Amino acid sequence: MVSLRKNETVSLSKQSSALSQLQFGLGWDPIKKKGLFGGLFGASSSIDLDAGCVLLDKSGNKIDTIWFRKLKSDCGSVVHSGDNLTGEGDGDDEVIRVDLNRLPQNAEYLAFTVNSFRGQTFNDVDNAFCRVVDQAGKELARYQLTEQGSHTGIVIASLRRNNGQWDFTAHGHACRGRTIDDMHSDIVSTVVR
């Protein structure tokens, strides 16, 4: 498994032979409240973040968007596990599965995002991460997000088709937007190279 830092890229094809399916797990925790009021009113609160995926062609034109309001791509190759409303518990809070063999041929990029529909900021988020697992259950790459701030969205990572291979890039690009559609210009400027 490769642990990535912001703006680093790894070839997933070199990490796993004969890639056919990938699982993108996104996880987070509510930040632990400290001090008298934190202890008095509970150790933590829930954080409702939403994972999403946008399929883009090589020019950055949107092919499809998968998120809590649309859990499956039109082509059936990308499927979202559903909305986690709290961030509680260990492991992946939301999962997006990708069948690489069923992706449309013009899908050059898959951009993965996390945003707060409720408007909660990343100042309230702790332990946010994105990880990639292959069809055999082997974790190929992980990106631990360390930045906090008053933003409501992040272009966390992307997958790029590269001459029949697949490259995964950790972005961690903070942006505004309570929905994945609000973040579209940031997604294109961050992911399309």
Side-chain angles (χ1 to χ4, degrees):
M1 188 268 300
V2 176
S3 182
L4 297 174
R5 288 186 294 228
K6 191 172 185 169
N7 298 318
E8 288 185 330
T9 299
V10 64
S11 170
L12 296 182
S13 301
K14 291 180 180 175
Q15 301 295 315
S16 177
S17 60
L19 282 178
S20 62
Q21 309 238 345
L22 293 175
Q23 178 175 298
F24 294 86
L26 296 146
W28 63 89
D29 293 315
I31 198 161
K32 302 270 190 258
K33 303 292 184 188
K34 295 180 181 171
L36 174 64
F37 293 111
L40 202 59
F41 297 108
S44 66
S45 59
S46 65
I47 296 291
D48 179 15
L49 295 181
D50 300 308
C53 178
V54 180
L55 279 65
L56 302 167
D57 69 15
K58 66 180 178 181
S59 300
N61 299 308
K62 181 169 62 172
I63 299 168
D64 206 348
T65 302
I66 299 84
W67 58 313
F68 75 89
R69 289 190 175 162
K70 182 181 179 195
L71 297 177
K72 189 174 186 179
S73 62
D74 292 337
C75 63
S77 65
V78 182
V79 179
H80 192 297
S81 65
D83 197 9
N84 177 315
L85 301 175
T86 66
E88 292 292 332
D90 293 332
D92 300 336
D93 291 310
E94 294 188 11
V95 175
I96 298 173
R97 290 176 178 79
V98 179
D99 184 338
L100 298 173
N101 297 325
R102 292 180 63 190
L103 280 171
Q105 285 301 310
N106 63 334
E108 183 80 9
Y109 302 95
L110 283 79
F112 296 93
T113 64
V114 183
N115 61 280
S116 172
F117 183 75
R118 294 182 186 171
Q120 295 169 299
T121 72
F122 279 80
N123 282 325
D124 297 322
V125 175
D126 197 17
N127 301 320
F129 68 88
C130 174
R131 69 188 194 115
V132 186
V133 178
D134 70 6
Q135 64 272 3
K138 177 183 175 189
E139 185 172 331
L140 305 178
R142 176 181 286 259
Y143 172 50
Q144 189 77 34
L145 187 68
T146 56
E147 299 89 355
Q148 291 181 307
S150 61
H151 50 281
T152 55
I154 294 179
V155 180
I156 196 162
S158 66
L159 185 65
R160 180 178 187 200
R161 196 185 300 259
N162 182 3
N163 297 318
Q165 308 294 309
W166 293 98
D167 293 339
F168 181 73
T169 302
H171 296 292
H173 177 77
C175 50
R176 300 270 176 229
R178 292 174 49 174
T179 70
I180 194 169
D181 290 336
D182 295 342
M183 299 166 53
H184 185 73
S185 61
D186 281 304
I187 292 167
V188 173
S189 65
T190 301
V191 171
V192 178
R193 306 263 178 228

